[in-house]
């Protein structure tokens, strides 16, 4: 590549991902594995659930603890949601779920802390779970409706939380193009493969987008409040410089 092609790409990468990568790199250099202990625990828990649910005796207990379906009562879905983030989907390779958790959860834990990571992840997952029930109530003939067969389809596992966290990180660190591409990819997923998981991903994105707008509005109000209470004083006029005094010389 020539310098003309690499320089704009480097400028774009620095502008789009520079603040995010700088935060993550600094934490990893300083703390190493201690930078994201919750993420490491989540990876271990997901691996454990994957091993157990593939045994003859462990499939049913794992499903009872962390599998959410629209056919379940909503109170039961709420009880299972905390563990549903760490139960891998049965029809997807587990390494994909582990890689998503390690990358996205790890970056989020470093940038916004472990409790915000879990709160946003749970909120995104609950948005998908709630949408599934609303979609079934609408029926297959409505634009956002779902067929009755989706009542017994398992929840998305960690993927809805991953998608929601990724969008929040893009908004927080001003990686707007990346966030737009992520949203476009999720819309394309639904257009290509119209299934429950893709629509739950869109519901998760919508919920996190609403959160971003609410946080932005709150920050704007907090910024404007001091200005309304204590408006900036007008700049004082510069003092006028006295004219130099010329002594009066009498005419001779």
């Amino acid at each position: 590549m020539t310098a003309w092609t690499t320089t704009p790409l480097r400028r774009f990468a620095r502008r789009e991902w520079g603040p995010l990568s700088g935060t993550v790199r600094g934490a990893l250099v300083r703390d190493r594995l201690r930078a994201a202990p919750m993420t490491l625990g989540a990876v271990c828990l997901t691996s454990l659930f994957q091993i157990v649910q593939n045994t003859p005796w462990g499939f049913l207990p794992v499903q009872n603890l962390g599998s959410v379906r629209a056919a379940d009562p909503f109170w039961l879905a709420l009880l299972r949601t905390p563990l549903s983030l760490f139960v891998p989907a049965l029809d997807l390779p587990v390494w994909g779920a582990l890689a998503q958790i390690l990358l996205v959860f790890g970056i989020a834990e470093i940038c916004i802390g472990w409790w915000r990571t879990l709160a946003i992840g749970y909120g995104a997952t609950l948005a998908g779970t709630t949408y599934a029930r609303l979609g079934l109530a609408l029926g297959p003939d409505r634009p956002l409706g779902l067929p009755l067969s989706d009542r017994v389809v398992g929840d998305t596992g960690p993927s809805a939380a991953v998608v929601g966290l990724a969008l929040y990180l893009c908004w927080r660190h001003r990686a707007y193009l990346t966030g737009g591409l992520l949203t476009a990819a999720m819309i394309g997923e639904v257009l290509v493969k119209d299934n429950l998981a893709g629509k739950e991903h869109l519901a998760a994105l919508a919920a996190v987008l609403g959160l971003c707008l609410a946080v932005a509005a709150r920050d704007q109000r907090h910024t404007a409040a001091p200005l309304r209470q204590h408006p900036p004083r007008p700049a004082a006029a510069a003092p006028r410089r006295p004219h130099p005094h010329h002594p009066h010389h009498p005419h001779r």
Side-chain angles (χ1 to χ4, degrees), residues 187-247:
I187 294 174
E189 176 189 9
V190 172
L191 295 177
V192 172
K193 188 178 181 181
D194 188 8
N195 57 7
L196 176 61
K199 292 181 177 179
E200 285 186 342
H201 292 162
L202 291 183
L205 288 178
V208 173
L209 181 59
L211 172 65
C212 295
L213 294 176
V215 172
R218 183 202 63 185
D219 293 344
Q220 188 174 9
R221 286 196 304 270
H222 287 178
T223 303
L227 295 179
R228 289 195 300 267
Q229 297 173 1
H230 305 286
R233 296 180 179 179
R240 299 178 64 181
R241 297 180 61 185
H243 294 289
H245 177 68
H246 297 284

Side-chain angles (χ1 to χ4, degrees), residues 69-70 127-137 146 150 155 196 200 203:
R69 295 178 178 84
T129 299
T130 305
Y131 159 74
R133 285 160 171 76
L134 294 176
L136 287 170
L146 294 172
D150 283 341
D155 208 347
L196 176 61
E200 285 186 342

